[in-house]
Amino acid sequence: MSKEITLNDVKENDEFKQLINASNNSLKVLGYTEHGLRHVGYVSKTTANILSTLGFPQRTVELGAIAGWIHDIGNAINRKHHGLTGSLLAYDILVRMGMDAGEVALIISAIGNHEEETGTPVNEVAAALILADKSDAHRSRVRRETADRKDIHDRVNLSIKKNYLAIDKNKKTIRLVIQMDNTSATMEYLQIYLSRMVLSEKAAAFLGYWFELVINGNVINRRKPVASTNVHPKAGETEVSEE
Ligand SMILES: [Fe+2]
Ligand SMILES: [Fe+2]
């Protein structure tokens, strides 16, 4: 008999807690930006906000929140193929928790497709998870203890003062708006995140939307005039990213 497993049940589960911790610790040793409760919290809330703004059923929104919370647990095993290993770890734990097998299948396909190396937006939860995860670049992700301006990831993240994802249902756009200072440059952002942005374009397209990347007021990925370089969401837009 399956149970309706909630985000709270997943947050309270000790196996998930330990895997999130171990992932964040391993990535710290490897020199990656923060992947702990702040990152998974952001991805969980933002995935849910995208799905609810687009009008998906409440249970799909909850499954998106759960997928966001546990999407990076594979890093506890290894950074390489962590989407794939994470989905196998999640399968085992969610089944033992009593989650419906169809819901588990949806969640693991989203987790297994969130990385740019092997991922494809194969369903709405996978698409929302990709958009949420890839939008999380910000100065708050740089680990203060190890911050190094000679490292391009730290430099790019340190330079991002403001970052939000907003959906305009009328214009069918999902915009990622980034304000960078001159600690880094647009070119450097693209050097390290281009493949993520290409995957975000595919994810938005799966949902029937255009993905627009706007850095310092310039649309980077398509020829469309920007109405304003305002760093706040425009009229008609719903901000979906959430700290
Ligand atoms: Fe990841
Ligand atoms: Fe992530």
Side-chain angles (χ1 to χ4, degrees), residues 27 35 39 71-73 75 79 82-83 111 114-116 133-134 196:
L27 293 176
H35 276 72
H39 173 63
H71 75 284
D72 268 338
I73 58 172
N75 286 298
R79 176 72 187 169
H82 71 273
I111 296 173
H114 86 273
E115 286 303 311
E116 57 272 25
D133 187 39
K134 305 316 169 200
R196 296 181 185 190

Side-chain angles (χ1 to χ4, degrees), residues 154-170:
D154 278 3
R155 205 160 57 235
V156 168
N157 278 275
L158 278 171
S159 79
I160 298 177
K161 299 276 192 261
K162 189 165 174 70
N163 184 8
Y164 70 83
L165 194 64
I167 296 179
D168 189 321
K169 289 178 84 170
N170 294 321

